[in-house]
């Protein structure tokens, strides 16, 4: 039986974010193999975190820049270590390498942080993204973490292509893993066209692309409301800040609803899901949830990126406030097109998000690399170069902080 350690950036919140949902699906996949799974994180507990113990997954609080992790990892002796985003690999990867050199190291990128950051910088400057935006210090750190690991999970096929074509990452180090949907649990039927009303959107307010989308909706919604004066826009999401709740305006139908106890329920009540994302990366959980609940969606090219391949989008893709508003109104009023979009969403789920197929492919890939780990690492010369002591700035910085903290504690105890 394998022992798997997952080092999380945050505690999983599957009802708050797509990243949390994706993480939980991977944890459950590992459990289904009969593996022992432990989740460790330096993050503070949160109000919406899932009860991992109820999932049969043990958990452990760990500390950044502290040698206590060394004893912990040596005692656990995991066969597989998965890092949640590159920052966790930077912090703990060298310690795993030191104490468990034979452990298979996996990086779950969630989405490419460097791509999201580059697009955000370009958006703030009101210009197209440049190669200078993309080749940032964040990119150098993230690509280095990918190269130091044995396998990286990439959620979008667009990001797979970017890593191989632009950053020249060997395809043997990458595995395409979109969201894994349990098709057997999909609802066989949902509320019909005439049973639904209004528009909705949902997303963690702490996620910059989601907050920007809410601000963008301030420009789009009046254009929709002008054509549909009785319509409402219901905006859901965890951790709404005061600046978001201040936008709540019943007179215009712009309603900040905040936390939704059940995202699927509020998704099913709406006729259209709006997701006017102007930057970001990966694939979008809200749009996948819309497909699951057979709710047609209107989004941007960024929103749909990496989600549908050559298949038709289950709704509409548009760019610019007026085009998005017109597409939303047209879909809202056209029952035949709306029902066609429902069917397109169901077909898309079956073709690209089949959880059992995706999960089995990942497990097979993990087993394949495990069985030839030495050869796999031998072929990754750049990764071994980056693991060389001369490149270990993060390691030495962490050791310096640990020594400094220890000295501070010693000084306080002597006072």
């Amino acid at each position: 039986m394998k022992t798997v350690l997952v080092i999380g950036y945050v505690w999983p919140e599957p009802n708050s974010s797509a990243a949390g949902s994706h993480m939980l699906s991977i944890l459950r996949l590992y459990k289904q193999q009969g593996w022992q799974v432990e989740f460790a994180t330096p993050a503070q507990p949160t109000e919406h975190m899932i009860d991992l113990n109820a999932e049969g997954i043990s958990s452990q609080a760990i500390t950044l820049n502290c040698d206590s992790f060394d004893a912990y990892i040596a005692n656990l002796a995991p066969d597989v270590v998965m890092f949640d985003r590159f920052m966790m690999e930077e912090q703990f990867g060298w310690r795993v390498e030191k104490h468990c050199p034979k452990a298979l190291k996996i990086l779950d990128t969630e989405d490419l942080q460097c791509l999201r950051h580059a697009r955000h910088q370009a958006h703030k400057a009101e210009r197209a993204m440049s190669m200078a935006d993309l080749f940032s210090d964040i990119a150098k750190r993230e690509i280095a973490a990918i190269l130091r690991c044995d396998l990286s999970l990439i959620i979008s096929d667009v990001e797979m292509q970017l890593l191989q074509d632009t950053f020249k990452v060997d395809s043997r180090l990458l595995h395409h893993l979109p969201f894994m949907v349990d098709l057997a649990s999909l609802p066989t039927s949902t509320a019909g066209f005439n049973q639904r009303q209004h528009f909705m959107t949902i997303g963690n307010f702490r996620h910059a692309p989601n907050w920007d989308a809410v601000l963008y909706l301030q420009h789009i919604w009046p254009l929709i409301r002008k054509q549909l004066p009785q319509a409402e826009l219901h905006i859901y999401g965890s951790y709404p800040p005061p600046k978001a709740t201040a936008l709540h305006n019943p007179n215009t139908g712009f309603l900040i609803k905040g936390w939704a106890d059940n995202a699927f329920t509020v998704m099913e009540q709406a006729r259209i899901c709006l997701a006017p994302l102007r930057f970001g990366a990966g694939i979008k959980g809200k749009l996948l949830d819309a497909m699951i609940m057979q709710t047609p969606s209107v989004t941007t090219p960024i929103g749909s990126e990496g989600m549908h391949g050559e298949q038709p989008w289950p709704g509409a893709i548009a760019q610019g406030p007026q085009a998005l508003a017109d597409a939303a109104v047209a879909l809202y009023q056209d029952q035949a097109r709306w029902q066609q979009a429902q069917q397109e969403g169901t077909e898309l789920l079956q073709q690209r998000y089949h959880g059992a197929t995706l999960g089995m492919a990942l497990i097979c890939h993990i087993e394949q690399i495990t069985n030839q780990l030495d050869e796999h690492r031998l072929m990754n010369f750049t990764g071994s170069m980056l693991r060389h002591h001369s490149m270990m700035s993060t390691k030495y910085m962490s050791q310096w902080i640990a020594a400094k903290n220890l000295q501070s504690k010693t000084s306080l105890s002597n006072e």
Side-chain angles (χ1 to χ4, degrees):
M1 181 176 68
K2 277 184 170 59
T3 297
V4 181
L5 172 64
V6 177
I7 302 178
Y9 180 65
V10 293
W11 292 98
E13 294 188 10
N15 293 326
S16 297
S17 70
S21 177
H22 189 52
M23 172 58 73
L24 182 59
S25 69
I26 296 173
L27 293 172
R28 285 174 171 169
L29 175 66
Y30 293 158
K31 281 294 297 180
Q32 289 166 9
Q33 311 313 307
W35 298 349
Q36 177 187 341
V37 182
E38 178 147 307
F39 186 91
T41 179
Q44 294 297 311
T46 61
E47 60 177 310
H48 300 310
M49 59 187 280
I50 194 168
D51 181 1
L52 291 174
N53 189 57
E55 297 281 338
I57 297 167
S58 55
S59 59
Q60 178 70 38
I62 52 177
T63 305
L64 297 172
N65 304 309
C66 182
D67 292 341
S68 61
F69 182 84
D70 295 356
Y72 164 69
I73 191 75
N75 181 63
L76 185 65
D79 303 287
V80 178
V81 177
M82 187 175 86
F83 305 99
D84 174 23
R85 282 161 271 202
F86 77 89
M87 299 81 83
M88 292 298 95
E89 189 281 334
E90 285 183 331
Q91 283 288 336
F92 298 102
W94 64 271
R95 295 183 185 273
V96 172
E97 179 91 10
K98 179 179 179 180
H99 297 284
C100 303
K102 291 297 184 182
L104 181 74
K105 294 191 296 184
I106 301 174
L107 175 61
D108 179 23
T109 60
E110 294 293 351
D111 57 42
L112 282 183
Q113 311 292 301
C114 63
L115 178 59
R116 174 149 48 91
H117 174 76
R119 285 174 169 167
H120 195 182
Q121 295 304 109
H123 173 67
K124 288 189 291 186
E126 299 182 343
R127 55 171 172 75
M129 185 185 76
S130 68
M131 294 302 282
D133 294 318
L134 187 59
F135 289 172
S136 63
D137 287 347
I138 290 178
K140 293 165 189 171
R141 293 167 58 194
E142 187 166 28
I143 301 305
I146 288 172
L147 291 169
R148 284 192 296 265
C149 287
D150 300 306
L151 187 66
S152 289
L153 309 182
I154 312 301
I155 202 166
S156 159
D157 54 8
V158 170
E159 293 179 5
M160 285 282 290
Q161 207 65 45
L162 179 71
L163 287 169
Q164 293 173 77
D165 293 349
T166 302
F167 291 106
K168 308 304 180 185
V169 177
D170 191 326
S171 62
R172 288 173 294 190
L173 301 177
L174 306 174
H175 183 91
H176 181 212
L177 184 70
F179 293 125
M180 294 181 284
V181 177
D182 180 7
L183 297 184
S185 67
L186 292 182
T188 54
S189 63
T190 58
F193 181 84
N194 292 321
Q195 296 171 289
R196 302 182 186 222
Q197 59 179 343
H198 305 315
F199 298 80
M200 67 85 68
T201 192
I202 190 167
N204 188 330
F205 282 91
R206 291 177 177 173
H207 188 55
N210 289 338
W211 171 238
D212 178 75
V214 173
L215 296 178
Y216 195 29
L217 281 164
Q218 288 270 289
H219 301 282
I220 299 167
W221 182 245
L223 302 175
I224 295 176
R225 180 84 167 187
K226 185 178 180 180
Q227 300 179 66
L228 299 171
Q230 301 304 313
E232 296 175 356
L233 173 60
H234 299 176
I235 301 174
Y236 297 91
S238 56
Y239 306 109
K243 63 182 179 180
T245 54
L247 298 177
H248 182 78
N249 190 344
N251 291 331
T252 63
F254 196 90
L255 308 178
I256 306 295
K257 296 284 190 173
W259 172 259
D261 290 330
N262 190 313
F264 288 146
T265 298
V266 297
M267 186 71 76
E268 184 183 9
Q269 292 169 349
R271 189 176 290 179
I272 303 291
C273 172
L274 290 176
L277 296 157
R278 294 190 284 187
F279 65 92
I283 59 178
K284 315 306 181 291
K286 62 177 69 62
L287 294 172
L288 192 77
D289 288 348
M291 294 180 213
I292 290 172
M293 298 314 296
Q294 299 180 331
T295 304
S297 58
V298 176
T299 189
T300 60
I302 286 287
S304 64
E305 180 183 87
M307 293 198 70
H308 64 115
E310 299 299 320
Q311 293 180 249
W313 183 255
I317 300 170
Q319 191 83 288
Q322 191 64 61
L324 283 160
D326 290 345
V329 170
L331 187 58
Y332 191 88
Q333 296 178 316
D334 188 340
Q335 183 172 356
R337 172 65 192 120
W338 188 88
Q339 290 172 336
Q340 180 186 359
Q342 281 191 315
Q343 182 59 35
E344 289 167 349
T346 299
E347 292 172 359
L348 195 53
L349 288 173
Q350 294 169 345
Q351 291 295 319
R352 293 178 68 93
Y353 301 98
H354 193 302
T357 301
L358 293 169
M360 185 54 62
L362 173 59
I363 297 302
C364 289
H365 202 166
I366 289 173
E367 296 288 4
Q368 177 188 9
I369 295 176
T370 300
N371 292 335
Q372 47 183 317
L373 187 58
D374 290 341
E375 180 183 351
H376 181 78
R377 288 177 174 173
L378 185 64
M379 299 304 294
N380 181 18
F381 179 78
T382 306
S384 63
M385 181 176 67
L386 289 171
R387 292 194 297 271
H388 191 264
H389 68 83
S390 64
M391 304 296 289
M392 286 293 179
S393 60
T394 306
K395 170 183 176 179
Y396 298 124
M397 175 61 76
S398 181
Q399 289 179 327
W400 179 81
I401 294 172
K404 183 181 177 183
N405 291 341
L406 181 61
Q407 185 179 31
S408 298
K409 290 178 182 177
T410 303
S411 298
L412 288 172
S413 63
N414 289 333
E415 290 179 358

